[in-house]
Amino acid sequence: MTLLQALVAFPVLLPMLGAAASVIVGRHASLQRVIGVVTLAIVCVVAGILLVAADRNGPVVAELGGWPAPMGIALVADRMSALLLLISSLVTLAVLVYAIDQRISDYGRETASTTFHPIFLLLSTGVSLAYLTGDLFTLFVAFEIMLASSYVLITRRTSASRIRSGMTYVIVSLTSSLLFLTAVGFVYAATGTVNLADLAGRMELLPDGLQTVLALVLVVVFGIKAAIVPLHFWLPDSYPNAPAPVTALFAGLLTKVGIYALLRTQTLVFPQDDPSMLLLVIAAMTMVVGALGAIAQDDLNRLLSFLLVSHIGFMLFGMAVWTPEGIAGTALYVVHHITVQATLFLVSGLITRRTGTVSISQMGGLAQTAPHLAVLFAIPAITLAGLPPTSGFVAKLALLQAGAGGGLASEIVAAFVVVASLLTLYAVARVWVRVFWGTPKEPLVDNDPNDELVVGTARSARGMYVGASSLVVVSIVIALFAGPLSGITARAGEDLYGRDTYRSAVLEPVAVIPAGDTGAGAEDAGDTGAGAADAGAADAGTDDGAGGTALAELPGAGTEVTP
Amino acid sequence: MTINLSMALVLAVLYSVGFYLLMQRSLMRILIGIVVVGHGANLLLQLAGGPPGRAPILDAVGLDEISDPLPQALALTAIVITFALTTYLLALGYRSWVLVGHDEVQDDVEDRRIAARQKPDGAMEEGTAAETESSPEDTADSHELEEGRK
């Protein structure tokens, strides 16, 4: 295993070890903060290296425990996963900086939190594992790590209202997890493997109807996680009740992991040639229902949550078109949206702390009292709506171009993209007018000092602004480097559509090693084999033949086992 | 692969009972529902490996006699995860009971407020509208809201 291959495991291992270290130093607040920031910074660097390596030389595959792919667990960093890993870890780092400073300004520098930092890092572990994993069951485990952390984050420091919204979230997520587990069971029963690259070949041998059923079950499972209409109902209820950094992290990462999983499984295991009518219809519904829902809201966080739902539809649309360009558009859109949605929730947190309320109708004139907040909100808001010089425009253009070349149905849904963008623009413009224009209002008094949601004073420390504005900078950088970035996403789209790069990268090592030619593992296998044969000496005669075939299929074995 | 009919029936019962319980209001019933469906899912994983056989120790047992070890490993992992999350749900239910006084899963209050607001003025008595609007994030459970609307 080369150093580069070992690096693939780092984004999973580091935050996990960091979380453990964070628990150990639980009493020392500053040490805990340093561990969190340093760990995530290293993960960012590693993700950057992986992206460059994957873009130059194809997917980086690490086989855990030295077991080749269809047998053991493989971690795969191809262009798509490395790109998403990089952008997610950047967002996670920025959100952590924001969260640390929010805690310091609320509770002072000395107060340590025994839960927040470890759980935050565990969430990061789960997200990284979900991006990198090469098999369906590890994907389930990654989702569970991620969701279990998110359950704790969303119900930490519980108030009555947070319990209420947390319950819906937990129950819906648990149900989808159990469905996922069921789907894994079905897939294994039908194909005898859970390795995604191996599944890609074996799924084609199944009857069409069975393939459709399995594809649909997975669409429902990931659809709940990604909050696509009509499975979105839990999201606008649960996200707004969590503190701003938590909401930002969830909005930026969790739903995108659902989209990524959908993209990965659908392109790899259930490839199609034509636009998928089902996904197109769901995408159009998601876009419009989300945007219309946003317009009806008065609560700033709920409005942003509905916009989040709406923009999930955009990503789904690129996938539904089923061309390399469409998938590339989805990749570009996910990258853009992770940063922008997280920024908006962070800024919404700053606004809420300043005004003491989440109700848009009770805010006003913030442009005069806090002009920096106005700038900080305006840039991501415009980006989300997709006005020309921003990264949102680039991503939407990619989607529209893909839709225009995809036949009549795609063109009709492409029109929905434009409509939903206009509705988004209307929704954020409405926020802008209500919150930033008009006469300034006095901040409302905080009626519940113990909840982190609304602090109701003008207290907000520098680090919170640093966290939020660094994400704004990231989204501007995305717009500036749209050329190289869309080059990467275009190649990632080709990879996902073509499937062969991924499959050969994961499965190749097995095909290369002939059964008889083994390395160091052979002696071990021989030893244990001899011991076992001794134990079962009574029927050794029948065993040798069967054991030989079994071993030939196993890695690192193949020496004839004779005592 | 042959399908074991009795196991298929057991699965059907587990899943249907579990999902029925999931649709209840009380968190305790939901929790039991999740446990039951979880059992179903784990059993399904087990059955995915084919008919039962002997322990998969190479060279001690013939290849055609052993049972597939992978689904068992998967089921073991899944059992641990289900168990952890069940514990978490129990804690959540207890917390809800301490804070709110019951463990019922409630409706989205904001949603109901907006739904109530969209009705034409004449369709509702003034008192209820004011009552609902004045307490957007109260802890009043769904039943009270329901009664308020009537």
Side-chain angles (χ1 to χ4, degrees), chain A residues 60-237:
Chain A
V60 190
V61 182
E63 283 150 354
L64 303 186
W67 290 79
M71 297 287 175
I73 297 169
L75 293 184
V76 191
D78 66 345
R79 291 192 178 99
M80 185 75 185
S81 46
L83 183 65
L84 292 185
L85 187 64
L86 175 63
I87 200 76
S88 304
S89 36
L90 282 175
V91 169
T92 317
L93 181 61
V95 172
L96 183 64
V97 170
Y98 181 102
I100 286 175
D101 222 57
Q102 176 170 343
R103 273 197 75 81
I104 289 178
S105 70
D106 284 354
Y107 304 108
R109 197 163 281 281
E110 300 307 318
T111 321
S113 158
T114 40
T115 49
F116 182 76
H117 282 268
I119 297 292
F120 196 90
L121 289 175
L122 269 185
L123 183 76
S124 168
T125 306
V127 171
S128 305
L129 186 59
Y131 286 142
L132 290 175
T133 179
D135 77 64
L136 205 56
F137 190 78
T138 315
L139 188 61
F140 166 74
V141 176
F143 267 113
E144 288 313 306
I145 296 176
M146 192 175 88
L147 289 174
S149 321
S150 74
Y151 301 154
V152 178
L153 283 180
I154 214 166
T155 50
R156 253 180 84 246
R157 305 180 70 82
T158 38
S159 58
S161 69
R162 206 177 284 174
I163 277 279
R164 187 190 60 73
S165 63
M167 263 189 205
T168 321
Y169 175 72
V170 173
I171 293 165
V172 171
S173 302
L174 269 178
T175 313
S176 84
S177 298
L178 288 172
L179 275 179
F180 193 2
L181 197 57
T182 312
V184 173
F186 283 149
V187 167
Y188 190 81
T191 62
T193 181
V194 283
N195 183 291
L196 286 173
D198 202 18
L199 269 180
R202 298 210 197 176
M203 195 57 83
E204 286 159 5
L205 307 175
L206 295 181
D208 279 349
L210 190 54
Q211 283 190 41
T212 314
V213 169
L214 293 178
L216 271 180
V217 174
L218 286 179
V219 166
V220 170
V221 167
F222 297 135
I224 295 176
K225 316 248 191 216
I228 60 181
V229 173
L231 305 168
H232 71 292
F233 53 90
W234 55 273
L235 190 144
D237 187 23

Side-chain angles (χ1 to χ4, degrees), chain A residues 71 137 140-141 144 147-148 151-152 154-155 157-161 163-164 166-168 170-171 174-175 177-179 181-186 188-189 192-194 233 236-237 241 296-299 302 306 358 447 453 525 528-530 532-533 535-536 539-540 543-544 546-551 553-554 561, chain B residues 1 15 19 22 27 30 33-35 37-42 44-45 47-50 54 57-65 68-71 73-75 77-79 81-82 85-86 88-89 91-93 95-97 99-100 102-111 113-114 117-118 137-140:
Chain A
M71 297 287 175
F137 190 78
F140 166 74
V141 176
E144 288 313 306
L147 289 174
Y151 301 154
V152 178
I154 214 166
T155 50
R157 305 180 70 82
T158 38
S159 58
S161 69
I163 277 279
R164 187 190 60 73
M167 263 189 205
T168 321
V170 173
I171 293 165
L174 269 178
T175 313
S177 298
L178 288 172
L179 275 179
L181 197 57
T182 312
V184 173
F186 283 149
Y188 190 81
T193 181
V194 283
F233 53 90
D237 187 23
N241 281 307
Q297 304 302 319
D298 182 48
D299 177 329
R302 284 181 67 92
F306 269 105
V358 286
N447 46 13
L453 192 57
T528 47
D539 35 27
D543 277 347
D544 265 1
T549 27
L551 280 176
E553 284 173 20
L554 287 173
V561 187
Chain B
M1 186 182 123
Y15 269 83
F19 275 108
L22 268 178
L27 192 65
I30 291 173
I34 281 175
V35 171
V37 181
H39 276 26
N42 290 326
L44 180 73
L45 267 181
L47 294 177
R54 298 181 60 190
I57 301 170
L58 285 176
D59 300 319
V61 193
L63 187 61
D64 47 349
E65 291 173 38
D68 189 350
L70 185 66
L74 302 187
T77 317
I79 287 169
I81 290 173
T82 325
L85 292 177
T86 308
Y88 173 77
L89 262 186
L92 192 66
R95 193 86 181 118
S96 165
W97 185 72
L99 279 170
V100 195
H102 58 72
D103 70 340
E104 296 216 341
V105 178
Q106 295 149 47
D107 284 339
D108 184 350
V109 184
E110 180 79 9
D111 225 26
R113 196 178 62 78
I114 289 174
R117 200 203 245 167
Q118 294 309 312
E137 52 174 297
D138 61 1
T139 56

Side-chain angles (χ1 to χ4, degrees), chain A residues 421-462:
Chain A
S421 302
L422 289 175
L423 289 175
T424 306
L425 185 61
Y426 172 72
V428 290
R430 191 169 138 269
V431 174
W432 178 262
V433 171
R434 293 261 183 94
V435 175
F436 293 100
W437 283 357
T439 48
K441 290 181 182 166
E442 282 295 306
L444 293 181
V445 188
D446 187 13
N447 46 13
D448 183 5
N450 286 326
D451 103 55
E452 294 166 62
L453 192 57
V454 176
V455 172
T457 60
R459 275 187 304 162
S460 38
R462 196 179 295 145

Side-chain angles (χ1 to χ4, degrees), chain A residues 522-535:
Chain A
E523 282 142 32
D524 293 346
D527 285 343
T528 47
D534 278 341

